[in-house]
C-alpha cells in the first residue's frame, strides 16, 4: 500500500458459518422462500449453503435464518424438487 505499513490480506473463507458473526441479511436483494409441502427433506440446501444458515426445522423440512442469509440463491439452485423460490427482497 502506498506510503503505509498496513497489509491487505485476501484469501478464501476457510471456516463455514463465519457470517454468523455479523448480521448480513440486510445486504440481500432477494431471499429464499421455502415451500414446506414440496420439500422432501434431502438437506441439499443445508449442505450447499455457504453461510450455514439453511437448517432443518421440523418434520424434516428446511428453512433459512434470514438474519444471516445473503440471498445468493445456491439453495434454490441445488433443490432437486424446486421447493425454494428466490423472490425480490422488499425493504
Amino acid at each position: 500500500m502506498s506510503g503505509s505499513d498496513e497489509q491487505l490480506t485476501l484469501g478464501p473463507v476457510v471456516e463455514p458459518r463465519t457470517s454468523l458473526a455479523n448480521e448480513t441479511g440486510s445486504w440481500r436483494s432477494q431471499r429464499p422462500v421455502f415451500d414446506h409441502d414440496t420439500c422432501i427433506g434431502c438437506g441439499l440446501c443445508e449442505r450447499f449453503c455457504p453461510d450455514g444458515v439453511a437448517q432443518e426445522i421440523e418434520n424434516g423440512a428446511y428453512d433459512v435464518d434470514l438474519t444471516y442469509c445473503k440471498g445468493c440463491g445456491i439453495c434454490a439452485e441445488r433443490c432437486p424438487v424446486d421447493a425454494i423460490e428466490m423472490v425480490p427482497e422488499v425493504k
Side-chain angles (χ1 to χ4, degrees), residues 18-19 24-25 27-30 51 53 66 68-73:
T18 57
S19 69
T24 56
W27 298 357
R28 67 177 173 266
S29 60
Q30 56 182 354
D51 296 310
V53 297
L66 292 174
Y68 302 102
C69 173
K70 294 178 187 161
C72 69

Side-chain angles (χ1 to χ4, degrees), residues 16-63:
R17 302 176 62 92
T18 57
S19 69
L20 296 180
N22 301 295
E23 293 184 7
T24 56
S26 63
W27 298 357
R28 67 177 173 266
S29 60
Q30 56 182 354
R31 64 184 173 87
V33 175
F34 284 64
D35 179 347
H36 296 120
D37 293 330
T38 303
C39 177
I40 59 172
C42 67
L44 288 177
C45 56
E46 181 179 36
R47 187 171 305 133
F48 285 100
C49 177
D51 296 310
V53 297
Q55 299 176 358
E56 186 173 2
I57 49 172
E58 56 189 37
N59 300 324
Y62 285 77
D63 216 329

Side-chain angles (χ1 to χ4, degrees), residues 1-3 5 7 12-13 29 33-34 44 55 57 63-65 70 74 76 79 81 85 87 89-91:
M1 300 180 139
S2 59
D5 289 334
Q7 292 184 11
V13 175
S29 60
V33 175
F34 284 64
L44 288 177
Q55 299 176 358
I57 49 172
D63 216 329
V64 297
D65 183 343
K70 294 178 187 161
I74 293 173
C79 182
V81 295
E85 179 184 2
V87 300
E89 183 66 66
V90 178
K91 297 192 185 210

